[in-house]
Amino acid sequence: MTSSPREVVIVGSGPAGLTAAIYCARANLEPLVFEGEPSSTGDQPGGQLMITTDVENYPGFPDGIMGPDLMAAFRAQAARFGAEFRTEKISRVDFSGQPLRLWVGDDDAPSALARTVIVSTGAQSLMLGLEAEERLIGRGLSTCATCDGFFFGGQEIAVVGGGDSAMEEALFLTKFATKVTVIHRRDQLRASKIMQDRAFASDRIEFLWNHAVTDILGDETLEGVRVRHTGTGDEHTLPLAGLFIAIGHRPNTDLFRGSLAMKPNGYLITEPDSTSTNVPGVFACGDVQDDVYRQAVTAAGSGCMAAIDAERWLEAQHDAGHR
């Protein structure tokens, strides 16, 4: 740990965090980025795009780009301008006063001091907990219809879930698929009535009630799913070209409980038209504070906002100190 606080410390290294790093580095703020470390829970430096294959909706790549390649380019660009990276995961923080303090592991002394912190730890899609998910994600298995629906034109696919998100995914996917089967473990949806009505009205959506997915089939690409009736226990195979899991998202905000204001669903609260949190000098960007759009391009945009907000906050503090 250095004895003097860094101007900017960034926690997280997805599109939001790395965009913030690019902007902070170009502003000569010499940002320190804690990019995280791979874990069995699905965390990885680079965020969710590191487990995404073809990315075709990020501007500037007419032929598409692999998710890991896109994030490698983000990181290289930030490093080119002077961002420093540590492949470590922050374990606790103390935002009760200046300087802001952050720890890695169980050390007594803080691992970093900062005048400003940009939180960009992202969110995770909730999964079914099946072994095949890790193998087939991006290979017929997806958690984002907006991202991947285009790849399933003229094919039969399924959506797992029964809430508003699942209905939104299913309705969007009808633009491409010949049939969308909604697999739900209950006999009625949890979605709002308006979303239910829209889904029931579509002639391309069918419902498989009282069923749970027990296995996802395919070696290199998804070929189908194994489903079990929740009442009788009977199982059968459902051939599919694609499967979209839409059972919710979980923001990576446990680290900040008690330090930063959150919505009931765990997403960080930022001020309107700003990335400022309830703690002066702490900013949040990307999916950790966005429970609506959850796209790489919107995350990158908010990363730019956070960097500008942090730079302006530092300038205001400097000006106040010279009055």
Side-chain angles (χ1 to χ4, degrees):
M1 186 195 77
T2 57
S3 57
S4 58
R6 303 290 293 247
E7 294 290 270
V8 181
V9 168
I10 299 171
V11 184
S13 59
L18 292 180
T19 300
I22 291 169
Y23 274 78
C24 287
R26 281 178 53 82
N28 293 325
L29 296 177
E30 300 178 340
L32 170 61
V33 182
F34 284 91
E35 59 182 344
E37 56 188 10
S39 74
S40 59
T41 60
D43 297 336
Q44 61 278 316
Q48 294 187 74
L49 283 185
M50 294 300 291
I51 55 172
T52 303
T53 51
D54 294 319
V55 178
E56 292 197 333
N57 58 359
Y58 198 89
F61 299 93
D63 298 321
I65 185 172
M66 298 290 285
D69 292 341
L70 180 60
M71 297 321 300
F74 271 54
R75 190 183 190 279
Q77 189 170 358
R80 173 193 167 200
F81 294 117
E84 179 184 345
F85 290 88
R86 289 175 60 174
T87 308
E88 296 173 314
K89 187 175 182 178
I90 296 297
S91 58
R92 61 189 174 104
V93 299
D94 183 351
F95 293 160
S96 60
Q98 283 283 343
L100 305 165
R101 297 185 292 170
L102 306 94
W103 283 262
V104 171
D106 299 323
D107 292 342
D108 291 332
S111 304
L113 303 177
R115 297 185 66 199
T116 65
V117 170
I118 295 176
V119 177
S120 56
T121 47
Q124 297 181 40
S125 298
L126 297 179
M127 304 297 282
L128 301 174
L130 301 174
E131 179 276 330
E133 288 175 326
E134 183 176 351
R135 182 178 74 253
L136 293 175
I137 190 74
R139 301 177 182 276
L141 177 64
S142 175
T143 59
C144 178
T146 307
C147 309
D148 299 327
F150 176 80
F151 299 116
F152 296 95
Q155 302 182 74
E156 294 188 5
I157 58 180
V159 173
V160 180
D164 278 353
S165 294
M167 296 308 102
E168 290 172 5
E169 298 276 279
L171 287 163
F172 181 83
L173 290 167
T174 59
K175 298 178 181 180
F176 311 102
T178 55
K179 184 172 79 170
V180 179
T181 300
V182 174
I183 304 172
H184 189 43
R185 60 173 53 249
R186 299 179 177 85
D187 60 0
Q188 58 185 355
L189 300 172
R190 294 179 290 104
S192 59
K193 188 175 186 305
I194 187 171
M195 293 305 299
Q196 292 191 42
D197 290 345
R198 289 174 182 173
F200 291 146
S202 173
D203 59 2
R204 292 196 179 189
I205 297 178
E206 295 185 3
F207 292 85
L208 185 61
W209 303 108
N210 298 311
H211 278 80
V213 176
T214 60
D215 198 8
I216 303 173
L217 310 176
D219 294 324
E220 298 298 325
T221 59
L222 185 142
E223 298 173 0
V225 296
R226 190 77 178 163
V227 294
R228 176 188 296 137
H229 193 282
T230 56
T232 66
D234 292 340
E235 293 193 6
H236 69 274
T237 297
L238 187 65
L240 295 169
L243 179 69
F244 289 78
I245 300 176
I247 57 176
H249 293 81
R250 183 179 185 276
N252 299 319
T253 53
D254 289 350
L255 173 64
F256 307 104
R257 293 193 181 277
S259 298
L260 299 177
M262 301 180 186
K263 299 178 183 179
N265 61 7
Y267 286 80
L268 296 184
I269 296 173
T270 51
E271 296 178 3
D273 301 318
S274 170
T275 61
S276 299
T277 68
N278 62 303
V279 175
V282 180
F283 307 89
C285 57
D287 287 7
V288 75
Q289 53 84 53
D290 174 17
D291 57 356
V292 178
Y293 299 104
R294 294 192 292 262
Q295 298 296 305
V297 68
T298 53
S302 69
C304 164
M305 293 168 60
I308 293 173
D309 287 344
E311 181 183 6
R312 290 175 176 172
W313 189 89
L314 289 166
E315 289 175 349
Q317 297 302 303
H318 180 270
D319 291 344
H322 285 78
R323 288 175 185 170

